[in-house]
Amino acid sequence: MRGAVLYAPGDVRVEEREDPRIVEPTDAIIRLSATCVCGSDLWPYRGIEAVDGPSPMGHEYAGIVEEVGSEVTTIRPGQFVVGSFFASDNTCEICQAGYQSSCVQRVGMGTEGAQAERLRVPLADGTLVATPDIPADDLVPSFLAASDVLGTGWFGAVAAEAGPGKTVAVVGDGAVGLLGVLAAKQLGAERIIAMSRHEPRQRLAHEYGATDIVEERGDAGVAKIKELTGGLGAHSVIEAVGTQESMMQAIRSTRPGGHVGYVGVAHGVELPGEELFFSHVHLHGGPAPVRRFLPELIDLIWNRQIDPGKVFDLTLPLEQAAESYQAMDQRQAIKVLLHP
Ligand SMILES: [Zn+2]
């Protein structure tokens, strides 16, 4: 099969890879209907995360089940399924508490390489959620978004305790930040402030429910949020970048007693203990337990109540994966969908 492999920073190639096969009796093999490039794929692409030899890329996936192992009981060949970037058993105590991305049996999907024609999914019964039927083609991008960016933005909003009567600020205007806006709206937030200086992204933020846009960042961004909230700060702040600047911007934009939901993968973030102590801000985040939200998100997409697939503003064939990385790296695209 064909699949994308990162050889070195800036060097993505699509090449012949070995077809995945059932290894464990709990595995499934799926044929991808669509796949995509994640903001977090840009860390190794930019050389900020070490590249350890040629690495298959991609961890977001939706597609048709082709084959299941002998111990798989609920997932069947022919179903259209969505899974998350961590495979999970969905039965251990951690999963049952809603933290499937820390499952005691978790398997990271990144090493399997979902930017490909086929994918092996471990712990298929726990990991995969099937749609009611084979979806219409125009729904596929939204289901693919549910695999990571929607689930991650949703967790950011839940962790930030977005809800009725709340003012929610969103730091980061990538796909996760934009879908954090969508999630905050769905959760009933009263006011949603998107922090973005890119016009096409501001437009999508408005479409997803943002009531205000703040273009300033850093201290100026914090001052603007305070100004918009009577000097207090937002009740809920979603942090969807993962840098020192974005994390401090999120914490300082939150009012005492408020909540930060941080879902940008942290790179070199160090928190000042004393400032945190006196801030009275709750911090909750981490790799989103997307599996917790998948049944609800699939239902919302199936019934066309949300359209998270709009974050894909560029579609390319899988063979052009290298161009898709370039486009996202240079911020020419919010998110690129790849057709195997
Ligand atoms: Zn588990």
Side-chain angles (χ1 to χ4, degrees), residues 260-273:
V260 174
Y262 61 100
V263 290
V265 182
H267 282 76
V269 176
E270 286 183 31
L271 301 181

Side-chain angles (χ1 to χ4, degrees), residues 151-174:
T152 296
W154 199 275
F155 176 56
V158 168
E161 305 219 337
K166 300 276 185 76
T167 293
V168 180
V170 182
V171 180
D173 64 359

Side-chain angles (χ1 to χ4, degrees), residues 269-287:
V269 176
E270 286 183 31
L271 301 181
E274 197 176 328
E275 180 178 346
L276 206 53
F277 181 80
F278 285 102
S279 72
H280 267 148
V281 167
H282 303 72
L283 299 182
H284 184 34

Side-chain angles (χ1 to χ4, degrees), residues 283-306:
L283 299 182
H284 184 34
V290 174
R291 178 63 183 82
R292 187 204 308 180
F293 308 110
L294 275 180
E296 182 184 0
L297 299 179
I298 285 175
D299 195 54
L300 287 169
I301 294 166
W302 185 263
N303 293 312
R304 296 183 184 273
Q305 288 168 274
I306 58 173

